[in-house]
Amino acid sequence: MVSMSNETIFSKIIRKEIPADIVYQDDLVTAFRDIAPKAPTHILIIPNKIIPTAADVTTEDEPTLGRLFIVARKVAEQEGIAQSGYRLIVNCKEHGGQEVDHLHMHLVGGQPLGPMLTH
Ligand code: AMP
């Protein structure tokens, strides 16, 4: 079991201890709207299990990591952006711009997103 010290605000969102606009939840993952959206659709899809960063994934996590993509597809359909397209982003650690140490996939869309990287 992962120690409580690895918990972030996202653990509380998964357990519904703090408010969040959850758009999907199952046994492996939870998806909720980003509190500071960068586009008309901006949803975070996260493992229910604490995996701090993309650098911490193991083969044991393969079903969960696969589920992130399946749920990204489903939520994109729910949001009506499947046809127009979207971007999936996983930031890792400091240079990747990761702010919350609980692995999360950003699903961003609803408008043209421009170049992938800006400084
Ligand atoms: P990252 O920079 O990849 O770590 O992204 C963290 C994301 O979490 C940012 O886009 C934040 O706006 C978002 N965020 C932080 N706290 C919350 C929260 N309580 N509810 C929803 N989104 C959050």
Side-chain angles (χ1 to χ4, degrees):
M1 179 170 159
V2 176
S3 81
M4 294 289 279
S5 63
N6 285 339
E7 289 208 347
T8 68
I9 196 161
F10 288 177
S11 294
K12 293 189 168 67
I13 288 174
I14 292 164
R15 295 196 298 261
K16 301 181 177 166
E17 291 171 4
I18 62 165
D21 189 353
I22 294 177
V23 297
Y24 180 92
Q25 187 167 48
D26 65 23
D27 57 323
L28 293 180
V29 307
T30 299
F32 53 96
R33 290 187 197 283
D34 196 292
I35 204 167
K38 303 283 196 299
T41 293
H42 188 171
I43 289 165
L44 301 176
I45 308 164
I46 70 175
N48 294 338
K49 171 193 170 184
I50 297 173
I51 303 171
T53 80
D56 299 303
V57 301
T58 68
T59 52
E60 187 180 289
D61 299 322
E62 283 184 10
T64 302
L65 299 172
R67 187 72 62 86
L68 293 178
F69 274 90
I70 298 297
V71 170
R73 175 183 63 75
K74 286 182 181 169
V75 172
E77 289 166 2
Q78 277 177 30
E79 292 289 308
I81 61 170
Q83 288 296 324
S84 52
Y86 47 87
R87 188 170 289 159
L88 301 174
I89 304 165
V90 178
N91 295 323
C92 180
K93 297 189 179 178
E94 188 184 347
H95 283 195
Q98 184 176 2
E99 290 171 0
V100 180
D101 283 346
H102 184 129
L103 180 80
H104 46 283
M105 175 185 278
H106 297 255
L107 165 63
V108 190
Q111 66 183 28
L113 297 171
M116 188 171 69
L117 295 175
T118 52
H119 294 282

